Structure formats: structure tokens, C-alpha cells
Amino acid sequence: MKTSIMQSTTAAAAAAATPSPKPELRGDQESRDSKKNTFLNRLLLGEILISSKKFKLLRNFSIVSLIAFSLAIGWLAQIYRQQTIKNLVNIKEDSNIILTQVLANTLWPEYGSFLSRNQDLSAEELVADARISQIHETILDQVENSDVVKIKIFDVQGRTVFSTELAQIGETKSAALQSAQSGQTISQLGHRDTFTALRSTIKDRHLLSSYIPIYDKQSREEIVGVFEVYTDVTPWLQQIEASQRRIIIRTSLIVTILYGVLFLFVSRAEALIKQQHQKLQESETSYRQQACDLEDTLTELKIIQAQMIQSEKMSSLGQLVAGVAHEINNPINFIHGNLNHLDAYTKEVFDLFRAYQAHYPNPPQTLQEKVDEADMDFLMSDLPGIFKSIKSGTERIREVVLSLRNFSRLDESEFKEVDIHDGLDSTLVILQHRLISRPGQPGIQIIKEYGQLPLVQCYPGLLNQVFMNILNNAIEAFEEINQRQTFEDLIKNPHRIHVCTHRLDEQWVKITISDNGIGIPKEVQSHIFDPFFTTKPVGKGTGLGLSTSYQIVTEKHHGQIGVYSTPGRGTRFEIKIPVHHPKI
């Protein structure tokens, strides 16, 4: 049985030439399929514009072809080299086995006992023995004019009992012992920079060393020694390399011709693809523009629809509020108007009772009991206070009704000269129930700083809606703070809404509504007036309040509205309205 051990670099090159594929995980494959499907879906939906600059068929073909052809040529050359070297090793190994058999047949009959039983001799004694010189001459005669450059003989313990390089006699080599124990021929191909040959020192040579066991002629099973034969295979390897270069050159010429033919086909295909791509790009651009136009139109329709719904809701609310205010106002006016008469009549009755007491201090016993039971003194002292309380309550109700009537002017389509302060006060009255203190939550302080304003031409109902939206946002911000802070913290830092008005010049007035709430993040401030933009949870906001307010101020009144906020410190809305409308 023959075993050939190639040089480690050769085996590594063979492993590199034929890499084993790595197992692919299912999750990775599914992820790539998902990405590919997403890309295809987006492509079909027109969301991706493929540009010829991103993918060039001819260039990519050239790069891929160059890499593929280079790998193929390198792989073929490497396979050829490996197979040829393997065949060379087998041939030279067989040759070395034959040479070993010839040498064993020549040396063992005469020197066999000396070579097998010399354990008692030291290395110096072996070298000095005359039989070593005789063996050396015999071997030189046998290998004359051959490619054998060194021969060594080992005993079964792996000790060198003879070498053409006398300095190595007496050394122990594990490879020889392994060969002796296993009975196998072991060959190794390697490179030596310098090597002591039979008659001289050689340089830069490729050598094949073969360890060949020798069997006893009689038993045919007992191993009596091991030969190590070094063969110079450098010329053979040079021929292999020359043949390898010729194969690479010829294969490259064939591949170049094949590449040229394929290049013509790919060039034509790329030209056709570019033409189709140009048409597809033009169509895609047209469709994209149409899609953008449709999207803009749809957005505008949504905004108009939302505004119409909002306007209709506010108009209906205004009519409802006006109707309720009217229905409440009539009985309240009746009660309030009759309170003065009732107060006067009561006073007359009390005066009459006092006059009666003065003229009849001692009424009959039965009548006196009725007077004592009615406790007329208490009635005469308490009833004026009751009338005063009722009058105060009716005045408060009339004030609320008036505020409702002022705020309910949402559907008025004509400009009117109104007092801005009335609209602000009416809005604050409507929101009074959200401003007062409640268990566990302190009230919101309203600080008014009203300047001297002229009557302003505006849509009073729409302007009240702007005030309502801004104040509502401030109150909701405070309610969010209430959920995160304790009652003691809220008392230390009370909530405040500051309403300020002043006249900028003859043409403009300014209304400022500020709070000390949580503020608005910078990334949100740029979108705060966008339609349908809201930071509130789903179901708690439509994103139309401030958008509608912006349109009311800028489009309906040709004014300006801005927001200035510092997160954690508060928000300030500034509204600028012209005193006289440009159209009037």
C-alpha cells in the first residue's frame, strides 16, 4: 500500500481552489426574499425610479466576465498542476521503491547483519567502520547518472545507520520509525534552499523523499530496515510549470474570443434596454407627475371637506348656542325685571306690618300666636338678602347668556366692527368650567392685560373660534401636567394663561396668548399649523384646530399668526389683525 503526502502549501491551494459552500440559514433567506418582494412591489407601484446610471449592463458584464474567466482559468491551471504533481509523485515513488529493492538485494546479503544489529555502536564508531565506506561506494555505483541525490538507511528503531551524508549517521527520525512500524511507503515533496547531495551541495531544488520499509527475504513479513531516498524532481516541476503557463495562455486566448462574441451580444442587448428604459422612464415620470397631482388634489379635497365639516359643526353649534341663550334669556329677563317690583312690594308689606304693630301693640292672642309662629322679625331681616342673592344670580346668568350670544356668532358672513375684548371675555366665560379649581387640581389663573384698542373689522365668530382653539390647547397642556405632578407642586407653580392686547400702529392690533405649560418641541413647531397634524392620541384630536385658526387669521382676515415656544417653559401665540380689512 502506497501513501503520498503532498507539500502543505499544495494541499492548501487545492482547498482554496474548491471551497465548500456554506449552509444558508432559513431566516436569512426569508429576509432576502422579503426585501426582494418589497422592492418588486414598490417597483410595480411606481415608487422606485430605475436609472441607467445605477445599473450599466455592459460594464457589469465585463467585470463579472473578467472575474469569472480569471477564476475559471486559475482553477483549471491549479487542477492541472495538482494532478500532474500527484502523478509525478506516484511515478517517482515507484521508481524509488524499485531502486530500494535493488539496493536491498545488493547490500543485505553481505551487510544485512551489520545494518540490522549495530545498536551497541556509537555514531562515531559507525562512521569509522570500513563497511560504511564500502556501502557508500556500492550505492554511488548504483545511482550514478540518476536523479537520486541522497540515500539513508534506518534500523527498525528509526536510527540512521547509513547516510551518504556521513554527518547524519546516528540520528533518529520519527518518519522512518513510523514507516517501519506501519509497513507503508511514505513520500514527501518539499523545497530546499540548500541540500547536501551525493557529491556536492545543491541549491534551490525540489526534492521528493520516500521512506521505504525493507522486509526479511525469508519471512516476507518482518521489517528489517527502512530506506530514505531523496530524488531531485526540479526539472519535472519546471516542465509542469511551463505546461501550466501554456495552458493558461491558450485558455486565455479561447476565453478572449468567447468574451468578444458575448460582448457584441451584450452591447446590442444594452442598447435595446436603454431604449426601453428611456421610454419607461418617460412614462414613469408622467405617471409620477399625475400621481403627485392626484395626491395634491386629494389632500386639498380632504382639507376642504374637513373645513366644511368643521364649519358646519361650528355653525350648528352657534345656532344651538344662540337658541339656548335666547330661550334662557327670556325667562331670566322676566325674573330679573320682576325682582325690583317684588322687592318694592315686599318692603311695602313690611312697612304696613310695622305700622300695624305700632297702632295695635296688643293684638288678640290668636293673632299674636300666628305672628310668633311666622317669626316676622327674621323674615324682615333675611328676605332682603334673599332678593339680593337672586338678583346676583340672575345677573350672572344674564352675563353667561350674553357671552354665549357673543360667542355664537360663528355663521356671520359679513365683517363687523367689534371689540376684540368682548370676544376674548366671551371665550373665557365659555371655558370658565375648565379654569376653576377642582378636587386635587388647582385652578388656572387668567391674567388680562388689555390695551386701548379701536373697533376692529372682522368676522367675530370666526375670531372667537381662533381664541377658543388656542386656549383649549393651553388648558389641555396643563391637564397633561396635572397627571404628572403632585398637588403641592402645582400649588408652588400655579398654571397661568396671559392674555395681552395692544395696538401696534394705526393699521394693526396684536393679541398675545401665552402660558407657562410644557411647551412645544422644536421638531413639532414647524408642523403645528399643518392640516391633520396632531400629537394627541387617536380619537382625541383631528389636527384641524390650529390649521383652521391659521386659515381664519391669514386668509379670512389677511393677518398673521405665529407660535414661539421653549420646551419646559411655555408657549406664546401672537395674532396680528388689521384694524380695517383691505377689501373695505
Side-chain angles (χ1 to χ4, degrees), residues 347-363 376 380:
K347 289 180 179 179
E348 291 179 359
V349 172
F350 286 165
D351 292 340
L352 179 61
F353 180 75
R354 292 189 185 96
Y356 176 80
Q357 282 184 326
H359 288 85
Y360 298 98
N362 298 311
M376 293 301 296
M380 287 187 293

Side-chain angles (χ1 to χ4, degrees), residues 309-435:
I309 294 173
Q310 185 76 2
S311 176
E312 184 65 25
K313 287 170 60 178
M314 297 305 294
S315 177
S316 300
L317 177 62
Q319 295 177 5
L320 176 62
V321 170
V324 172
H326 178 74
E327 293 299 326
I328 296 175
N329 190 52
N330 286 336
I332 288 298
N333 284 337
F334 173 78
I335 295 172
H336 187 77
N338 288 322
L339 278 176
N340 293 328
H341 300 293
L342 184 59
D343 187 29
Y345 297 159
T346 303
K347 289 180 179 179
E348 291 179 359
V349 172
F350 286 165
D351 292 340
L352 179 61
F353 180 75
R354 292 189 185 96
Y356 176 80
Q357 282 184 326
H359 288 85
Y360 298 98
N362 298 311
Q365 183 65 31
T366 304
L367 181 59
Q368 185 62 42
E369 290 177 358
K370 291 291 186 183
V371 171
D372 294 338
E373 183 180 353
D375 196 0
M376 293 301 296
D377 293 335
F378 173 76
L379 290 179
M380 287 187 293
S381 62
D382 187 57
L383 197 56
I386 294 176
F387 282 130
K388 185 177 180 181
S389 297
I390 295 174
K391 187 174 183 180
S392 175
T394 56
E395 288 176 352
R396 175 61 181 164
I397 294 175
R398 293 181 65 190
E399 180 182 350
V400 172
V401 170
L402 180 60
S403 298
L404 289 173
R405 294 181 62 184
N406 290 334
F407 184 80
S408 65
R409 297 180 292 185
L410 301 176
D411 58 343
E412 294 182 357
S413 58
E414 296 181 358
F415 271 121
K416 289 185 177 182
E417 288 188 344
V418 297
D419 186 351
I420 296 295
H421 298 154
D422 290 342
L424 288 169
D425 291 338
S426 299
T427 306
L428 290 172
V429 170
I430 298 298
L431 295 172
Q432 184 65 31
H433 68 287
R434 301 183 65 185
L435 300 174

